[in-house]
């Protein structure tokens, strides 16, 4: 069956669900029709079908529709199947094979990054970024890549005052310093860290985003700082960006 404008019913239903998932709260059917360029009659029919399957809830007093429990169950199933870890591991292995340096995949958890996958290159030193390790996000290349991809307001909410910054060594970190670091990260397109976690080791990292631009995870390479000149580091970044794009396609299909 197809909607009257020729769009397949399944595709239209998925567009409705995707649009609703990106909103802050329930939306009116007229908003869906206008935003998605669908006939209002088709939107009402699809909403009724989705509500019947539990994917949509109708709030009659507000004349709006929101996501239902079935949509939550889908997202929970996605999390249980660990797609980022499963799909990221072969990408990370290919990255290490390509550059010969150790790599890791991390996600943001509050003010920290959690490392989900680590792939150590042969004859390279052990890293502190083992699977399950948490580190302050503002100190790591992985964390900086993810923070730079967040709205500035959210970064301010995560680091509202000096007490939010974990100290490491003798360096004092501030909100102004973090803002400056994230501005530089956005400008260059990747994050850097040099000796702030482990003396003598440097890292470069990039964020992998979803379709809405939200950071899902980061990919990073770590290497002995003294062994890598600027030209080789730039080469690392190019390869890292290609593998991040590959992981994005694996996760989101585009």
């Amino acid at each position: 069956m197809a909607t009257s404008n020729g769009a397949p019913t399944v595709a239209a239903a998925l567009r409705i669900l995707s649009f609703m998932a990106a909103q802050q709260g329930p939306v009116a059917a007229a908003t869906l029709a206008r935003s998605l360029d669908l006939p209002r009659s088709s939107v009402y029919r699809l909403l009724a079908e989705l509500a019947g399957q539990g994917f949509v809830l109708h709030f009659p007093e507000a004349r709006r529709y929101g996501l239902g429990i079935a949509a939550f169950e889908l997202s929970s199933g996605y999390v249980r199947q660990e797609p980022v870890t499963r799909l990221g591991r072969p990408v990370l292995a290919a990255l290490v094979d390509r550059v010969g340096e150790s790599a890791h995949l991390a996600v943001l958890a509050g003010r920290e990054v959690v490392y989900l996958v680590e792939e150590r290159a042969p004859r390279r030193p052990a890293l502190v970024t083992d699977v399950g390790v948490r580190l302050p996000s503002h100190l790591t290349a992985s964390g900086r890549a993810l923070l730079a991809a967040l709205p500035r307001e959210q970064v301010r909410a995560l680091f509202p005052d000096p007490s939010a910054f974990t100290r490491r060594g003798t360096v004092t970190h501030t909100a102004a310093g973090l803002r400056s670091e994230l501005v530089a990260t956005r400008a260059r397109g990747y994050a850097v860290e040099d000796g702030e976690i482990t003396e003598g080791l440097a890292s470069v990292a990039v964020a992998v985003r979803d379709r809405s631009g939200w950071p899902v995870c980061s990919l990073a390479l770590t290497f002995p700082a003294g062994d890598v000149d600027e030209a080789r580091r730039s080469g690392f970044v190019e390869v890292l960006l290609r593998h991040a794009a590959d992981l994005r396609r694996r996760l989101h299909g585009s």
Side-chain angles (χ1 to χ4, degrees):
M1 185 177 73
T3 57
S4 59
N5 70 345
T9 299
V10 172
L14 290 174
R15 289 178 63 205
I16 287 173
L17 290 174
S18 296
F19 182 86
M20 293 173 72
Q23 308 311 304
Q24 294 297 316
V27 295
T31 300
L32 290 166
R34 181 176 62 256
S35 300
L36 300 176
D37 194 25
L38 292 170
R40 190 174 298 191
S41 60
S42 298
V43 169
Y44 277 113
R45 185 173 68 253
L46 288 168
L47 287 171
E49 293 175 357
L50 290 167
Q53 297 296 323
F55 287 96
V56 163
L57 285 174
H58 183 214
F59 299 92
E61 292 81 8
R63 297 182 180 179
R64 279 170 164 72
Y65 295 83
L67 293 177
I69 190 66
F72 172 77
E73 289 170 346
L74 272 183
S75 66
S76 298
Y78 178 88
V79 172
R80 285 195 303 273
Q81 292 180 19
E82 300 181 324
V84 172
T85 300
R86 292 175 184 270
L87 294 174
R89 186 170 284 112
V91 173
L92 215 61
L95 175 62
V96 172
D97 287 344
R98 177 68 179 80
V99 301
E101 301 290 352
S102 298
H104 39 261
L105 181 153
V107 296
L108 198 62
R111 296 183 189 129
E112 298 178 314
V113 284
V114 181
Y115 293 89
L116 301 184
V117 185
E118 183 194 50
E119 189 76 20
R120 192 183 307 171
R123 297 177 297 281
R124 285 305 187 195
L127 305 177
V128 299
T129 52
D130 202 357
V131 173
V133 166
R134 291 172 175 256
L135 290 173
S137 60
H138 67 283
L139 296 178
T140 68
S142 294
R144 290 166 181 172
L146 293 166
L147 292 173
L150 292 178
R152 291 169 175 79
E153 296 77 12
Q154 183 157 353
V155 176
R156 284 197 294 269
L158 287 171
F159 297 93
D161 54 55
S163 67
F165 292 88
T166 300
R167 291 198 60 171
R168 194 176 182 94
T170 59
V171 179
T172 299
H173 295 270
T174 65
L178 178 60
R179 284 196 300 272
S180 177
E181 182 67 43
L182 298 185
V183 167
T185 297
R186 295 184 191 104
R188 75 170 77 93
Y190 63 94
V192 299
E193 176 267 315
D194 197 340
E196 293 171 74
I197 297 299
T198 302
E199 187 176 355
L201 295 181
S203 297
V204 290
V206 297
V208 178
R209 302 173 185 249
D210 63 17
R211 288 194 182 96
S212 66
W214 196 261
V216 177
C217 63
S218 63
L219 292 184
L221 283 166
T222 297
F223 44 87
D227 294 352
V228 178
D229 59 19
E230 282 302 316
R232 193 174 175 214
R233 187 176 298 208
S234 296
F236 284 175
V237 172
E238 290 179 11
V239 176
L240 193 59
L241 287 168
R242 288 201 298 271
H243 284 75
D246 182 24
L247 181 54
R248 175 187 164 87
R249 284 191 295 270
R250 288 169 178 253
L251 288 168
H252 308 299
S254 61

